[in-house]
Amino acid sequence: MTELAIYDMDRTITRTGTFTPFMIHAAWRLAPWRLIFVPFAAMVMLAYVVKLIERKRLKELNQAMLIGRNVAVAKLAPVAESFAEKTMRRNVRQEALASLAENRAAGRRLVLATASSRLWVEPIAAKLGMDDIIATTAIKGIDDYVSHKVDGENCYGPAKLRMIEAWMGLEKLDRSQCRIWFYSDHVSDVPVLEWADEAVAANPHHDLRTEAQKRGWTIVDWN
């Protein structure tokens, strides 16, 4: 039996989201003049809130404005690394780290499954000691540039479960031979929580807390 401990990242392991902070961090270091687009990025967010655009398109538009449509990997890598260092210093829940350590000590494979982009998730995951990453992925060109366009699905809601199952297929992991723990703060992850053997609502928002109480899922509040 293979044991997997799968974690959402934003507001589960971290205290706050990482998308907007990374966009601003990257803009400041790569092209500070792009910060003039911050108000427009807020307008794009509003368009998403009122359901004029999808979450995937929100990410693409804001990344195009604040980072650029195509960014050289060599330029982006040190920016992502510095953001990861900043995240680990200021934005990680200590009890989440303890949970990771507990699952690691139990011999479970640690997997990060997040809607955030691999652009900045990979160095954070490395510092957290994750074994594997399932994340939203940007299109990469053959010329070592990263596009603002998302490659495939945004790893959010039901798509997250599809991407986890696809990853398990690639890893040749038989679901019937696995025991799976899943940790998340948000109700959008209910499809994965109900699919897991052990569902843990970590620092849950109101809607997920209500759902977890109704279903008898474990609730933890990490600081």
Side-chain angles (χ1 to χ4, degrees):
M1 183 69 69
T2 300
E3 295 190 341
L4 307 175
I6 307 177
Y7 289 77
D8 174 52
M9 186 176 79
D10 287 6
R11 299 183 180 88
T12 299
I13 293 175
T14 64
R15 293 187 176 88
T16 63
T18 58
F19 177 78
T20 299
F22 179 76
M23 292 296 113
I24 294 173
H25 179 89
W28 181 254
R29 283 157 180 76
L30 294 173
W33 64 268
R34 287 187 177 275
L35 293 173
I36 65 174
F37 291 119
V38 168
F40 297 98
M43 291 172 63
V44 171
M45 177 63 76
L46 180 60
Y48 166 72
V49 170
V50 299
K51 302 185 185 305
L52 293 178
I53 60 173
E54 295 183 349
R55 196 177 185 92
K56 176 178 175 178
R57 188 59 177 153
L58 158 74
K59 292 181 174 182
E60 292 176 338
L61 290 171
N62 281 353
Q63 184 171 324
M65 285 190 289
L66 294 171
I67 299 180
R69 291 180 175 273
N70 292 288
V71 183
V73 173
K75 286 187 177 181
L76 199 54
V79 172
E81 181 65 27
S82 64
F83 180 74
E85 291 171 358
K86 183 177 178 181
T87 298
M88 293 300 296
R89 286 197 311 269
R90 305 179 183 178
N91 194 26
V92 171
R93 299 177 187 272
Q94 293 305 305
E95 290 182 17
L97 295 179
S99 173
L100 286 166
E102 181 181 345
N103 279 313
R104 188 180 299 112
R108 295 173 189 137
R109 188 167 173 176
L110 303 181
V111 183
L112 198 60
T114 173
S116 289
S117 174
R118 281 184 178 271
L119 296 179
W120 64 91
V121 166
E122 286 186 345
I124 294 173
K127 293 178 188 306
L128 290 171
M130 308 304 292
D131 297 305
D132 300 276
I133 305 168
I134 301 160
T136 302
T137 302
I139 292 174
K140 289 187 177 180
I142 57 175
D143 50 0
D144 288 328
Y145 275 77
V146 177
S147 169
H148 70 292
K149 289 283 192 178
V150 171
D151 187 2
E153 293 192 282
N154 180 40
C155 190
Y156 182 83
K160 183 178 286 189
L161 177 56
R162 290 193 292 271
M163 291 175 73
I164 291 172
E165 290 178 323
W167 169 81
M168 290 181 69
L170 290 172
E171 294 293 314
K172 296 181 169 39
L173 293 170
D174 184 340
R175 177 67 183 90
S176 67
Q177 298 302 311
C178 295
R179 185 163 184 80
I180 297 172
W181 283 253
F182 182 64
Y183 301 77
S184 177
D185 71 292
H186 199 267
V187 72
S188 64
D189 278 328
V190 162
V192 187
L193 287 161
E194 60 188 7
W195 167 84
D197 298 294
E198 301 290 341
V200 183
N203 328 302
H205 292 195
H206 176 268
D207 289 351
L208 180 57
R209 188 177 295 272
T210 300
E211 191 70 19
Q213 290 169 340
K214 185 191 309 180
R215 294 177 182 244
W217 293 339
T218 300
I219 298 174
V220 295
D221 291 292
W222 292 332
N223 58 32

